[in-house]
Amino acid sequence: MHPDRIRLPRLRDKVMSAEEAATLIHDGMTVGMSGFTRAGDCKAVPFALAERAKTHPLQITLMTGASLGHDADKVLSDAGVTARRMPFQVDASLRKRINAGEVMFMDQHLSETVEMLRNRQLKPVDMAVIEATCITADGGIVPTTSVGNSASFAILAQKVIVEINLSMPLELEGLHDIYIPTYRPTRQPIPLVSVDQRIGTPAIPIDPEKIAAIVFTNRPDSPSTVLPPDLETAAIADHLNDFLMREVKANRLSAALQPLQAGIGTIANAVLHGLLDSPFQDLRMYSEVLQDSSIDLLDSGRMTFASASSMTLSAGCYERVMANLARYKSRLVLRPQEISNHPEVVRRLGLITINTALECDLYGNVNSTHVNGTHMMNGIGGSGDFARNAHMSIFVTKSLAKGGDISSIVPMVTHVDHTEHDVDVLVTEHGLADLRGLAPRERARVVIDQCVSPLYRDALKDYFKEACRRGGHTPHVLEEAFAWHTRFRETGSMLSRDMMLAD
Amino acid sequence: MHPDRIRLPRLRDKVMSAEEAATLIHDGMTVGMSGFTRAGDCKAVPFALAERAKTHPLQITLMTGASLGHDADKVLSDAGVTARRMPFQVDASLRKRINAGEVMFMDQHLSETVEMLRNRQLKPVDMAVIEATCITADGGIVPTTSVGNSASFAILAQKVIVEINLSMPLELEGLHDIYIPTYRPTRQPIPLVSVDQRIGTPAIPIDPEKIAAIVFTNRPDSPSTVLPPDLETAAIADHLNDFLMREVKANRLSAALQPLQAGIGTIANAVLHGLLDSPFQDLRMYSEVLQDSSIDLLDSGRMTFASASSMTLSAGCYERVMANLARYKSRLVLRPQEISNHPEVVRRLGLITINTALECDLYGNVNSTHVNGTHMMNGIGGSGDFARNAHMSIFVTKSLAKGGDISSIVPMVTHVDHTEHDVDVLVTEHGLADLRGLAPRERARVVIDQCVSPLYRDALKDYFKEACRRGGHTPHVLEEAFAWHTRFRETGSMLSRDMMLAD
Ligand SMILES: CC(C)(COP(=O)(O)OP(=O)(O)OC[C@H]1O[C@@H](n2cnc3c(N)ncnc32)[C@H](O)[C@@H]1OP(=O)(O)O)[C@@H](O)C(=O)NCCC(=O)NCCS
Ligand SMILES: CC(C)(COP(=O)(O)OP(=O)(O)OC[C@H]1O[C@@H](n2cnc3c(N)ncnc32)[C@H](O)[C@@H]1OP(=O)(O)O)[C@@H](O)C(=O)NCCC(=O)NCCS
């Protein structure tokens, strides 16, 4: 009965099968599940719930930290269980239902979900389902490879189902730092002043009476799906390294830079990898997710400490970290996403943030979420929490997508996640645009010179010229602003015959 | 020689005329001037500088807190002095030059200007020109009716010109609370945990040796230009009051609500006026500017304390406050705009923020700055600092502008200042859309039902229907998204013949 995993004896008779536990979840409930960027998600109850829905249809509002692994979002939405979903997802099948208007998706700044719950501005959580390493002697829940929103879900929920994952080493205990802001109007400052500081408790403190079920599982996290760096992402990394070196030379940054945040995905991972061969020293990370690149930086000694809300690693890297937790634990901490992403802390620490754009426009407005302005890719995630409050907000993107049929630098973005105010630097494989202190017309010239693909450069110049003829602080030709996008929709390419001939 | 106004004797020989002081400002300099929403601006040096430029042409980068009074922005830009301007302005003449691309304007979140200066991400301030009530015995500068960015400008500048305004009562001393965040990487939490707390000093502490000139003036601030409430703004206030009462009934707010922030302009002022006849008690304000409405709320006893960065009042209200400072001082404080607008403090205190949209779209994205997507009105001001970090972010607008030729509710906004994530509630004279916890398609239905003018309702419904046919999380018809705006540009009205016939 794993007394080391359930240290409060009276909880041991809460152990049951996933199928039994799933019966505690009823139609119409709001369910808060652990899981953040595929890490620390529940491995059994979601699937038992989907199975049960085949014979007992039910619908829930599903909240998580961020994305789930093991196709849980696919399985739950295919089973018709997910009626509403927040605050983030990355699943192809769920994405299809969201874009068809079948699942109501609330795309949220990741620091804000539990703030709204706490203020009773969202429907309360009926049931939390939390993956744990173990339950402590006083009933505290020790998370696994992510904290995400698990702490607040468990604290605010009526009842809690705990999934104890036996594949998670007990050495994970002590990795987490659970701090929850106090209630308003008596909220105190968050006392965090350096990335390596611990300000909370190692376990999620809840009333053990709320634990309604305990389920044992034994499956590792889904491995990360990021692709290795390629020529273009390596070029992006090089431009960024050169720029940061110039900042150090100009005495605007020290060789330790400022604490780094890097977004999810292939490009951000590649950019961090680029730091391995950089002259920077004693780097620190204050991010929401650690990818392989962060672990490699720690291993190389170039990074001294990393704080995040989850670890999403490839299979090999995952094994290496799990087998050597004692070694990593002094240089890693996992926090609630409300703290890893908190505006207060991000602004205080002064992060250099690196996030990915789907598309960016002439003036530096960024779309990170909506393909062609309408179809949700993943969600804004934490990018808004970080970019808005950064010391320096960097966005990266390849200049082209879909083999050149899409330019990621467009006249006007079809959806805005990050306004020009929140975008200091833009990097593509062609170059880097330092937009700090520039007015919109100046920004446009730098973006055209540095970032756009040569395939689209002349067309973008022409657009800007005509826009300036019309005038304005931020010149545009409204009836042409989305012409590239509508051409893509109609012909499968943003390139017009003219552009192709010109090239 | 006003020893009560210059209490450090050795500074008394720095007194000179505005004309002399203006010669200290040279071509190419970055000049940081006091002044925030027409309050506490310099009354002499800017005009002497413009005069001098007639014979000795020169160009500067002009930074302020926010807008200036006394047509200073007109005079300086007409004289060709203003080459670059940040972070906010409201002047018709300067606006024309900005929109013609003649003056480079950096529209910034108001909490961020001095953060970027401090981090050396903007060109350093050569000269600060600061209006003061007096200079203390240790050389500290006591501001007048605004703090704005004056403290950081004076601290960071090479040299400082002080304008002592004799029309400002000495009782202003003690009204201000100057707190500047410490440098990274050792920055500490901002210790402010309630709106009435004082955490700094009453004067701006600088090395008196930096004071290069002292000029005496004797002109009051320009009076506020806001219009009195009308039928529509009163209807907006009523909808908002009803909504807040329902929130109190539902136990989501206490009768003291949360600290209030209200933006500049006629509508926000009217909305605050509406609170005079409300059942709320012990209201507090944590805002960037106090308008007449805030003073009326204090006078009525309905508000107990107000914190801001400036006071911008009508002539009558201004006189009343100046004549009774002793009475108001215990219930008012003026802070640096970095603190009044700081994400850390805004999020901690949990503000209810009320800001004004120029236009808002189906999904709740807000444009507060760009007429027809291109022409700058004023700037984003503090609205982004507040809306992003609010407990509840409310945007207000009349449903129509220009006599009905413009609908302020449009299919897609032509410029985004505030994304849907940062807009919880939208109010027009027709009704209130509570968007919390809703997915985009749900938001659209509420906005159509509650907010759009009947003149445009059917057309907006038709747009949304066609958009949904096309699909997506946030449905749009890209080639039609700006059709109303291009029609306005071509015909002078967003209304088509069909819409007019339908009505
Ligand atoms: C923007 C985002 C999707 C990019 O992901 P990535 O893996 O780094 O980038 P890729 O270039 O591989 O692009 C991913 C996909 O988007 C497509 N894409 C890229 N630019 C595009 C554009 N302008 N229009 C349409 N599709 C585009 C790519 O073709 C690719 O499609 P595929 O999966 O079918 O091959 C991802 O970073 C994201 O979801 N960001 C938002 C959340 C966030 O930033 N969180 C940060 C804090 S965690
Ligand atoms: C948006 C803003 C301009 C509204 O100001 P206001 O005085 O409350 O509102 P009004 O309805 O009187 O509108 C002001 C002008 O905009 C025009 N306007 C309003 N909606 C419009 C629209 N959708 N398209 C074009 N013009 C519009 C009005 O007709 C009016 O024009 P006029 O001056 O020629 O009469 C003002 O609040 C602002 O600049 N906000 C941005 C900064 C901010 O929010 N700061 C808040 C923290 S201080």
Side-chain angles (χ1 to χ4, degrees), chain A residues 304-322:
Chain A
T304 56
F305 199 94
S307 164
S309 193
S310 81
M311 299 193 284
T312 304
L313 307 174
S314 67
C317 190
Y318 182 85
E319 273 176 38
R320 195 166 88 228
V321 171
M322 289 303 187

Side-chain angles (χ1 to χ4, degrees), chain B residues 48-308:
Chain B
L49 188 66
E51 203 47 43
R52 187 168 147 253
K54 288 187 189 157
T55 51
H56 298 76
L58 88 175
Q59 294 205 306
I60 63 169
T61 295
L62 175 59
M63 296 184 176
T64 57
S67 58
L68 301 176
H70 301 100
D71 291 333
D73 261 325
K74 173 178 165 49
V75 171
L76 284 168
S77 59
D78 285 356
V81 172
T82 312
R84 307 178 74 78
R85 181 77 176 89
M86 61 187 90
F88 191 73
Q89 61 77 41
V90 301
D91 180 80
S93 178
L94 173 55
R95 182 183 295 150
K96 211 175 269 169
R97 288 175 205 280
I98 289 169
N99 286 321
E102 293 161 19
V103 172
M104 293 294 105
F105 177 51
M106 274 131 282
D107 173 27
Q108 294 186 302
H109 297 304
L110 295 188
S111 78
E112 292 188 355
T113 309
V114 297
E115 187 80 272
M116 286 192 79
L117 271 177
R118 191 181 296 128
N119 300 333
R120 300 183 297 282
Q121 298 193 78
L122 294 175
K123 265 185 56 198
V125 179
D126 300 294
M127 182 69 76
V129 190
I130 309 293
E131 184 178 83
T133 302
C134 61
I135 297 176
T136 63
D138 50 3
I141 300 173
V142 176
T144 61
T145 48
S146 71
V147 178
N149 283 325
S150 298
S152 285
F153 287 162
I155 290 168
L156 296 170
Q158 291 286 319
K159 294 277 168 198
V160 183
I161 299 171
V162 180
E163 280 196 9
I164 295 184
N165 188 334
L166 298 172
S167 84
M168 296 285 170
L170 273 171
E171 288 77 23
L172 281 168
E173 195 175 354
L175 181 66
H176 315 91
D177 184 51
I178 311 296
Y179 175 92
I180 305 292
T182 55
Y183 273 90
R184 298 167 180 151
T186 53
R187 185 174 294 178
Q188 294 302 305
I190 299 170
L192 193 79
V193 296
S194 72
V195 301
D196 57 353
Q197 196 181 340
R198 287 173 182 274
I199 58 175
T201 55
I204 301 169
I206 60 162
D207 175 1
E209 299 313 313
K210 290 209 307 188
I211 297 182
I214 299 175
V215 175
F216 282 108
T217 70
N218 204 341
R219 264 174 103 180
D221 286 339
S222 311
S224 147
T225 53
V226 301
L227 303 171
D230 60 22
L231 279 179
E232 279 146 6
T233 56
I236 292 173
D238 284 348
H239 293 308
L240 196 54
N241 270 342
D242 289 348
F243 167 74
L244 292 172
M245 279 190 263
R246 289 197 300 275
E247 289 292 295
V248 172
K249 260 211 184 111
N251 264 318
R252 280 192 289 268
L253 288 173
S254 77
L257 306 178
Q258 289 287 120
L260 299 167
Q261 176 264 339
I264 54 165
T266 299
I267 306 181
N269 191 50
V271 166
L272 276 198
H273 256 127
L275 291 174
L276 275 170
D277 305 317
S278 75
F280 310 117
Q281 297 291 347
D282 299 326
L283 296 173
R284 289 141 302 148
M285 190 141 190
Y286 194 83
S287 197
E288 61 177 41
V289 51
L290 302 181
Q291 304 196 70
D292 284 14
S293 48
S294 319
I295 303 296
D296 295 340
L297 282 165
L298 284 173
D299 288 346
S300 74
R302 201 164 291 287
M303 184 172 281
T304 56
F305 200 93
S307 165

Side-chain angles (χ1 to χ4, degrees), chain B residues 380-496:
Chain B
I380 192 166
S383 56
D385 290 322
F386 290 109
R388 171 64 60 89
N389 298 295
H391 172 94
M392 179 156 30
S393 165
I394 298 165
F395 277 85
V396 292
T397 181
K398 294 185 184 183
S399 71
L400 298 173
K402 307 296 172 206
D405 284 327
I406 289 178
S407 172
S408 300
I409 312 294
V410 292
M412 184 189 257
V413 288
T414 50
H415 179 91
V416 176
D417 291 297
H418 308 289
T419 69
E420 49 139 345
H421 312 290
D422 299 335
V423 182
D424 295 320
V425 172
L426 176 67
V427 200
T428 69
E429 72 277 18
H430 293 293
L432 180 147
D434 179 359
L435 304 173
R436 293 173 298 173
L438 300 185
R441 290 174 188 232
E442 297 170 314
R443 295 167 76 101
R445 289 190 195 98
V446 183
V447 169
I448 291 173
D449 285 351
Q450 297 296 324
C451 297
V452 70
S453 157
L455 266 181
Y456 289 89
R457 186 171 293 145
D458 286 343
L460 196 60
K461 263 189 199 161
D462 289 348
Y463 177 88
F464 181 55
K465 209 166 138 189
E466 175 58 16
C468 287
R469 219 187 45 74
R470 297 241 186 134
H473 176 59
T474 304
H476 271 299
V477 184
L478 284 191
E479 63 275 27
E480 293 292 321
F482 298 146
W484 299 11
H485 296 88
T486 53
R487 189 179 303 127
F488 176 80
R489 188 171 175 274
E490 283 155 18
T491 71
S493 177
M494 285 186 175
L495 285 168
S496 68

Side-chain angles (χ1 to χ4, degrees), chain A residues 264 266-267 288 355-356 358 368 377-380 383 401-402 406:
Chain A
I264 54 166
T266 299
I267 306 181
E288 61 177 42
N355 291 287
T356 310
L358 273 184
S368 293
M377 175 70 92
N378 301 324
I380 192 167
S383 55
K402 307 297 173 204
I406 290 178

